[in-house]
Amino acid sequence: MRMASRPNALQRLVVDSAGLANRLAMRPLGTAGRSYGAWPLDRALAGRVTLVTGASSGIGEATAHALGQAGGTVALVARSQGKLEEVAAAVAAAGGTATVHPVDLTDLEAIDALCADALARHGHVDILINNAGRSIRRSVAGSTDRFHDYERTMQLNYFAAVRLTLGLLPAMQERRHGHIVNVSTLGVLTRVPRFSAYVASKAALDAFGDSLQAEVLGDDIRVTTIHMPLVRTPMIAPTGAYRGVPAISPGAAAGFLTRAIVERPRRLTPPVGQAMNVADVFVPGVTDWIRHRGFAASQDSRAARGESS
Ligand SMILES: NC(=O)c1ccc[n+]([C@@H]2O[C@H](COP(=O)([O-])OP(=O)(O)OC[C@H]3O[C@@H](n4cnc5c(N)ncnc54)[C@H](OP(=O)(O)O)[C@@H]3O)[C@@H](O)[C@H]2O)c1
């Protein structure tokens, strides 16, 4: 059954509300992308090596550029070698140093080899940015024959990040210094319907980071979780519903990362996410109702009921 593309009033309301929430999400940190150059990023990066996964596109690519502009040394990881080489050339042109590591992070043994290679080439990795990720937008009812969606989100968003952390942590502990930055999503706090596989995989990484932080605090190793709002990157391009919704640029998203590197905060969470978290504790019936209304207005839900508009 073909769905008409014009949204009805309720759908418009849901999209407008999502847009408003996203605007609020961006506001407090919205200056980050514009002003990261004003932070002492170059000092934070002096003598440090940063490994960035997902560096061939979107947030990872913009972060690599920002680190290059600050004179940083960056190990670039993704599958697309040609794209990584272009990013490396841009980092070098901006004044930084980059090495290219074409790796499929769903291959756990390849991650072990990546850690060995990065340590051999650079001597140490001080900052690990677990940024590579994949998102899947599908209702649970629409996934009953798609268990692999849950496996592949966990494989890249959780297991790959954990494996990399395990691979690089011993060297950080030996040097008694390190920083692990996990690029999570605001969706972990808003827990929007139709993203169960994606959001659960990121929530697992958040919990791993919380547990790890308690263990390594004494070694001057910090773990930062960034609850990133919507960013206009290739990841969200296939989702038509996001076209009218405000999203920050990859450069502004890179500002969250550079701020994390300079300030080493425990979390960077837009207030709208914190508010949703609190509301979930005190009035879960209300937050469930809001999410349900949003889902009920979605095409997934109406298609499941055999409706069209
Ligand atoms: N965009 C948003 O609205 C948004 C919001 C919140 C959080 N995030 C998170 O931000 C992170 C970056 O997303 P993005 O929006 O910048 O997406 P993107 O532009 O699609 O970039 C994804 C990156 O991950 C790499 N990647 C994918 N699969 C890989 C694999 N198997 N092995 C190695 N690298 C792989 C891709 O490179 P190759 O294809 O070359 O391998 C690419 O560099 C993700 O963790 C995402 O969940 C995004």
Side-chain angles (χ1 to χ4, degrees), residues 164-181:
L164 256 173
T165 305
L166 298 183
L168 296 175
L169 187 65
M172 288 183 183
Q173 286 188 298
E174 207 171 296
R175 286 166 59 84
R176 294 188 68 78
H177 182 82
H179 191 187
I180 296 155
V181 183

PDB file of all heavy atoms in Angstrom, residues 164-181:
ATOM      1  N   LEU A 164      37.691  -1.937  21.245  1.00  0.00           N
ATOM      2  CA  LEU A 164      38.728  -0.908  21.081  1.00  0.00           C
ATOM      3  C   LEU A 164      39.184  -0.385  22.444  1.00  0.00           C
ATOM      4  O   LEU A 164      40.380  -0.176  22.678  1.00  0.00           O
ATOM      5  CB  LEU A 164      38.150   0.261  20.285  1.00  0.00           C
ATOM      6  CG  LEU A 164      38.557   0.387  18.829  1.00  0.00           C
ATOM      7  CD1 LEU A 164      37.767   1.494  18.167  1.00  0.00           C
ATOM      8  CD2 LEU A 164      40.061   0.657  18.703  1.00  0.00           C
ATOM      9  N   THR A 165      38.223  -0.185  23.314  1.00  0.00           N
ATOM     10  CA  THR A 165      38.560   0.308  24.658  1.00  0.00           C
ATOM     11  C   THR A 165      39.437  -0.705  25.376  1.00  0.00           C
ATOM     12  O   THR A 165      40.461  -0.346  25.990  1.00  0.00           O
ATOM     13  CB  THR A 165      37.258   0.572  25.457  1.00  0.00           C
ATOM     14  OG1 THR A 165      36.439   1.461  24.708  1.00  0.00           O
ATOM     15  CG2 THR A 165      37.558   1.174  26.814  1.00  0.00           C
ATOM     16  N   LEU A 166      39.045  -1.982  25.291  1.00  0.00           N
ATOM     17  CA  LEU A 166      39.841  -3.028  25.954  1.00  0.00           C
ATOM     18  C   LEU A 166      41.256  -3.076  25.366  1.00  0.00           C
ATOM     19  O   LEU A 166      42.226  -3.309  26.085  1.00  0.00           O
ATOM     20  CB  LEU A 166      39.173  -4.400  25.791  1.00  0.00           C
ATOM     21  CG  LEU A 166      37.771  -4.581  26.394  1.00  0.00           C
ATOM     22  CD1 LEU A 166      37.288  -6.012  26.213  1.00  0.00           C
ATOM     23  CD2 LEU A 166      37.739  -4.207  27.868  1.00  0.00           C
ATOM     24  N   GLY A 167      41.358  -2.835  24.063  1.00  0.00           N
ATOM     25  CA  GLY A 167      42.659  -2.905  23.398  1.00  0.00           C
ATOM     26  C   GLY A 167      43.584  -1.758  23.776  1.00  0.00           C
ATOM     27  O   GLY A 167      44.804  -1.929  23.832  1.00  0.00           O
ATOM     28  N   LEU A 168      43.013  -0.583  24.031  1.00  0.00           N
ATOM     29  CA  LEU A 168      43.850   0.600  24.279  1.00  0.00           C
ATOM     30  C   LEU A 168      43.984   0.945  25.766  1.00  0.00           C
ATOM     31  O   LEU A 168      44.883   1.701  26.152  1.00  0.00           O
ATOM     32  CB  LEU A 168      43.287   1.805  23.502  1.00  0.00           C
ATOM     33  CG  LEU A 168      43.333   1.644  21.977  1.00  0.00           C
ATOM     34  CD1 LEU A 168      42.644   2.820  21.284  1.00  0.00           C
ATOM     35  CD2 LEU A 168      44.782   1.515  21.472  1.00  0.00           C
ATOM     36  N   LEU A 169      43.115   0.394  26.576  1.00  0.00           N
ATOM     37  CA  LEU A 169      43.119   0.751  28.007  1.00  0.00           C
ATOM     38  C   LEU A 169      44.431   0.392  28.726  1.00  0.00           C
ATOM     39  O   LEU A 169      44.944   1.219  29.500  1.00  0.00           O
ATOM     40  CB  LEU A 169      41.918   0.079  28.702  1.00  0.00           C
ATOM     41  CG  LEU A 169      41.687   0.492  30.160  1.00  0.00           C
ATOM     42  CD1 LEU A 169      41.306   1.970  30.262  1.00  0.00           C
ATOM     43  CD2 LEU A 169      40.613  -0.378  30.803  1.00  0.00           C
ATOM     44  N   PRO A 170      44.991  -0.809  28.507  1.00  0.00           N
ATOM     45  CA  PRO A 170      46.216  -1.146  29.254  1.00  0.00           C
ATOM     46  C   PRO A 170      47.327  -0.107  29.052  1.00  0.00           C
ATOM     47  O   PRO A 170      48.010   0.270  30.016  1.00  0.00           O
ATOM     48  CB  PRO A 170      46.613  -2.523  28.689  1.00  0.00           C
ATOM     49  CG  PRO A 170      45.319  -3.119  28.212  1.00  0.00           C
ATOM     50  CD  PRO A 170      44.525  -1.949  27.685  1.00  0.00           C
ATOM     51  N   ALA A 171      47.492   0.369  27.805  1.00  0.00           N
ATOM     52  CA  ALA A 171      48.550   1.366  27.543  1.00  0.00           C
ATOM     53  C   ALA A 171      48.205   2.688  28.224  1.00  0.00           C
ATOM     54  O   ALA A 171      49.101   3.390  28.725  1.00  0.00           O
ATOM     55  CB  ALA A 171      48.729   1.560  26.043  1.00  0.00           C
ATOM     56  N   MET A 172      46.920   3.036  28.271  1.00  0.00           N
ATOM     57  CA  MET A 172      46.528   4.270  28.975  1.00  0.00           C
ATOM     58  C   MET A 172      46.815   4.121  30.477  1.00  0.00           C
ATOM     59  O   MET A 172      47.315   5.057  31.118  1.00  0.00           O
ATOM     60  CB  MET A 172      45.035   4.548  28.781  1.00  0.00           C
ATOM     61  CG  MET A 172      44.651   5.016  27.389  1.00  0.00           C
ATOM     62  SD  MET A 172      42.878   5.391  27.319  1.00  0.00           S
ATOM     63  CE  MET A 172      42.680   5.806  25.580  1.00  0.00           C
ATOM     64  N   GLN A 173      46.512   2.956  31.016  1.00  0.00           N
ATOM     65  CA  GLN A 173      46.740   2.756  32.462  1.00  0.00           C
ATOM     66  C   GLN A 173      48.223   2.795  32.779  1.00  0.00           C
ATOM     67  O   GLN A 173      48.633   3.336  33.802  1.00  0.00           O
ATOM     68  CB  GLN A 173      46.122   1.432  32.907  1.00  0.00           C
ATOM     69  CG  GLN A 173      44.588   1.518  32.966  1.00  0.00           C
ATOM     70  CD  GLN A 173      43.941   0.309  33.579  1.00  0.00           C
ATOM     71  OE1 GLN A 173      44.075  -0.782  33.043  1.00  0.00           O
ATOM     72  NE2 GLN A 173      43.241   0.493  34.683  1.00  0.00           N
ATOM     73  N   GLU A 174      49.018   2.235  31.859  1.00  0.00           N
ATOM     74  CA  GLU A 174      50.464   2.247  32.075  1.00  0.00           C
ATOM     75  C   GLU A 174      50.988   3.686  32.117  1.00  0.00           C
ATOM     76  O   GLU A 174      51.834   4.037  32.941  1.00  0.00           O
ATOM     77  CB  GLU A 174      51.128   1.493  30.923  1.00  0.00           C
ATOM     78  CG  GLU A 174      52.450   0.875  31.275  1.00  0.00           C
ATOM     79  CD  GLU A 174      52.914  -0.023  30.133  1.00  0.00           C
ATOM     80  OE1 GLU A 174      52.233  -1.032  29.844  1.00  0.00           O
ATOM     81  OE2 GLU A 174      53.928   0.342  29.534  1.00  0.00           O
ATOM     82  N   ARG A 175      50.443   4.530  31.235  1.00  0.00           N
ATOM     83  CA  ARG A 175      50.866   5.942  31.181  1.00  0.00           C
ATOM     84  C   ARG A 175      50.142   6.793  32.207  1.00  0.00           C
ATOM     85  O   ARG A 175      50.421   7.981  32.364  1.00  0.00           O
ATOM     86  CB  ARG A 175      50.602   6.520  29.779  1.00  0.00           C
ATOM     87  CG  ARG A 175      51.587   6.012  28.742  1.00  0.00           C
ATOM     88  CD  ARG A 175      51.116   6.325  27.324  1.00  0.00           C
ATOM     89  NE  ARG A 175      50.920   7.754  27.063  1.00  0.00           N
ATOM     90  CZ  ARG A 175      51.879   8.594  26.707  1.00  0.00           C
ATOM     91  NH1 ARG A 175      53.112   8.169  26.597  1.00  0.00           N
ATOM     92  NH2 ARG A 175      51.597   9.862  26.474  1.00  0.00           N
ATOM     93  N   ARG A 176      49.155   6.200  32.874  1.00  0.00           N
ATOM     94  CA  ARG A 176      48.331   6.895  33.874  1.00  0.00           C
ATOM     95  C   ARG A 176      47.727   8.178  33.297  1.00  0.00           C
ATOM     96  O   ARG A 176      47.708   9.238  33.928  1.00  0.00           O
ATOM     97  CB  ARG A 176      49.127   7.179  35.159  1.00  0.00           C
ATOM     98  CG  ARG A 176      49.514   5.890  35.876  1.00  0.00           C
ATOM     99  CD  ARG A 176      50.120   6.126  37.232  1.00  0.00           C
ATOM    100  NE  ARG A 176      49.171   6.666  38.207  1.00  0.00           N
ATOM    101  CZ  ARG A 176      48.253   5.937  38.836  1.00  0.00           C
ATOM    102  NH1 ARG A 176      48.143   4.654  38.588  1.00  0.00           N
ATOM    103  NH2 ARG A 176      47.448   6.512  39.704  1.00  0.00           N
ATOM    104  N   HIS A 177      47.199   8.030  32.084  1.00  0.00           N
ATOM    105  CA  HIS A 177      46.501   9.156  31.454  1.00  0.00           C
ATOM    106  C   HIS A 177      45.715   8.628  30.264  1.00  0.00           C
ATOM    107  O   HIS A 177      46.197   7.769  29.527  1.00  0.00           O
ATOM    108  CB  HIS A 177      47.484  10.223  30.959  1.00  0.00           C
ATOM    109  CG  HIS A 177      46.785  11.401  30.352  1.00  0.00           C
ATOM    110  ND1 HIS A 177      46.257  12.421  31.114  1.00  0.00           N
ATOM    111  CD2 HIS A 177      46.481  11.697  29.070  1.00  0.00           C
ATOM    112  CE1 HIS A 177      45.675  13.302  30.311  1.00  0.00           C
ATOM    113  NE2 HIS A 177      45.794  12.881  29.071  1.00  0.00           N
ATOM    114  N   GLY A 178      44.520   9.143  30.086  1.00  0.00           N
ATOM    115  CA  GLY A 178      43.763   8.756  28.898  1.00  0.00           C
ATOM    116  C   GLY A 178      42.378   9.365  28.912  1.00  0.00           C
ATOM    117  O   GLY A 178      41.909   9.892  29.930  1.00  0.00           O
ATOM    118  N   HIS A 179      41.731   9.305  27.761  1.00  0.00           N
ATOM    119  CA  HIS A 179      40.386   9.861  27.630  1.00  0.00           C
ATOM    120  C   HIS A 179      39.627   9.014  26.616  1.00  0.00           C
ATOM    121  O   HIS A 179      40.109   8.821  25.495  1.00  0.00           O
ATOM    122  CB  HIS A 179      40.466  11.324  27.178  1.00  0.00           C
ATOM    123  CG  HIS A 179      39.175  12.064  27.268  1.00  0.00           C
ATOM    124  ND1 HIS A 179      39.007  13.331  26.777  1.00  0.00           N
ATOM    125  CD2 HIS A 179      37.972  11.722  27.785  1.00  0.00           C
ATOM    126  CE1 HIS A 179      37.768  13.734  27.004  1.00  0.00           C
ATOM    127  NE2 HIS A 179      37.112  12.770  27.607  1.00  0.00           N
ATOM    128  N   ILE A 180      38.483   8.518  27.009  1.00  0.00           N
ATOM    129  CA  ILE A 180      37.636   7.736  26.098  1.00  0.00           C
ATOM    130  C   ILE A 180      36.346   8.521  25.910  1.00  0.00           C
ATOM    131  O   ILE A 180      35.644   8.830  26.891  1.00  0.00           O
ATOM    132  CB  ILE A 180      37.362   6.333  26.681  1.00  0.00           C
ATOM    133  CG1 ILE A 180      38.686   5.566  26.775  1.00  0.00           C
ATOM    134  CG2 ILE A 180      36.335   5.576  25.824  1.00  0.00           C
ATOM    135  CD1 ILE A 180      38.712   4.504  27.807  1.00  0.00           C
ATOM    136  N   VAL A 181      36.069   8.887  24.667  1.00  0.00           N
ATOM    137  CA  VAL A 181      34.881   9.697  24.367  1.00  0.00           C
ATOM    138  C   VAL A 181      33.924   8.831  23.548  1.00  0.00           C
ATOM    139  O   VAL A 181      34.271   8.377  22.450  1.00  0.00           O
ATOM    140  CB  VAL A 181      35.256  10.963  23.563  1.00  0.00           C
ATOM    141  CG1 VAL A 181      34.013  11.816  23.320  1.00  0.00           C
ATOM    142  CG2 VAL A 181      36.330  11.772  24.287  1.00  0.00           C
TER     143      VAL A 181
END
